[in-house]
Amino acid sequence: MSVCLRTAPHVRALLLYADRRFQTDRCFPFIVFNQNQIRSSAQGGYLLTARKNFGLVADKILAVNRDALDSLIQRGRDGGYVKPETPEEKSCFELMTFVDHVAGHVNGSHTARKYQRNEIKSLIYAVGVPVFFVTFAPADFKNPLCLFYCGQNIDLLQRAPPLPSRNDRLRAIATNPVGAARFFRKVVELFTSKILRMGQGRPGLFGPTEAYYGTVE
């Protein structure tokens, strides 16, 4: 009997494996993230242009010189400034001014960040400008919960459990970024539920919270 398991639940199950073999693997998170980006871009990317330019853009796409496009791509891979040198390359650059590649659901893409900025602007129009800008960076290597997530033998039932040495704590977090990410997510959830008290019908530490927006660098 075969069971169809979607990618996200499968990866989550592997990352929460009991012996933490996938959490501490150096390559696994990067491979999964890259595969997810490639899959999302290939399945969901599309071209967007204004309706008045549709005919012009369609003709330009059909007339694109593949050799000129390959030359621009090859020069762009070096990370330097790419300047069109031939009429065919200038035509490719002109096409880029009419067309946007939309892949807003792809994590880390430029369009995803653009959508986030639009969401923030819409939120400002709806409820007003933000009153507080809060940035918090929890000291993960000093927190027993984070060390517990990273596989350290910590008794969380104690009020002040003994912690390993500083080097051991830093090494544990460096070798298990998944545990550190779980800890950060928990801190964010506690901040919104206990400090802001969002959606609880009572004011939080900063007063009544009508809305909030959070991003991760």
Side-chain angles (χ1 to χ4, degrees):
M1 179 180 178
S2 61
V3 178
C4 180
L5 184 62
R6 298 179 65 87
T7 303
H10 188 198
V11 173
R12 188 179 298 110
L14 293 177
L15 290 176
L16 297 179
Y17 204 70
D19 61 1
R20 297 182 174 86
R21 66 178 67 180
F22 295 100
Q23 293 185 17
T24 56
D25 188 276
R26 296 182 178 181
C27 300
F28 181 77
F30 295 101
I31 294 175
V32 170
F33 182 73
N34 290 337
Q35 286 182 343
N36 180 65
Q37 281 194 315
I38 294 173
R39 184 184 297 109
S40 300
S41 300
Q43 295 178 350
Y46 57 92
L47 298 178
L48 181 68
T49 187
R51 178 178 298 180
K52 63 180 181 180
N53 298 326
F54 185 82
L56 175 63
V57 170
D59 294 337
K60 285 186 174 296
I61 291 177
L62 294 175
V64 166
N65 188 299
R66 294 288 300 273
D67 295 334
L69 187 60
D70 291 338
S71 177
L72 291 173
I73 294 174
Q74 189 63 34
R75 299 207 307 267
R77 287 175 178 172
D78 299 333
Y81 176 74
V82 179
K83 182 179 180 180
E85 300 175 351
T86 64
E88 291 79 8
E89 293 180 354
K90 292 180 180 179
S91 178
C92 294
F93 265 69
E94 185 180 359
L95 177 62
M96 293 170 59
T97 61
F98 290 102
V99 175
D100 289 328
H101 183 268
V102 178
H105 61 285
V106 180
N107 293 328
S109 65
H110 293 290
T111 309
R113 290 192 290 269
K114 180 180 178 181
Y115 284 176
Q116 286 184 330
R117 289 194 294 268
N118 292 338
E119 289 175 349
I120 295 175
K121 293 177 182 178
S122 300
L123 193 61
I124 292 175
Y125 291 147
V127 299
V129 297
V131 179
F132 291 101
F133 292 88
V134 180
T135 301
F136 53 88
D140 46 11
F141 74 99
K142 296 182 180 180
N143 194 288
L145 180 60
C146 181
L147 297 173
F148 177 79
Y149 281 151
C150 292
Q152 297 295 300
N153 187 16
I154 305 293
D155 186 4
L156 297 179
L157 298 180
Q158 294 187 25
R159 184 176 182 86
L163 302 179
S165 65
R166 176 186 175 89
N167 290 337
D168 290 341
R169 284 178 279 153
L170 293 175
R171 187 178 297 107
I173 294 174
T175 56
N176 193 338
V178 177
R182 292 179 63 193
F183 167 71
F184 183 79
R185 179 184 178 88
K186 189 65 175 180
V187 170
V188 173
E189 292 175 350
L190 291 174
F191 180 81
T192 56
S193 62
K194 304 301 181 182
I195 303 299
L196 299 182
R197 291 179 177 174
M198 185 66 186
Q200 299 183 18
R202 53 178 180 165
L205 180 63
F206 304 106
T209 302
E210 186 173 0
Y212 72 93
Y213 195 94
T215 60
V216 180
E217 294 182 355

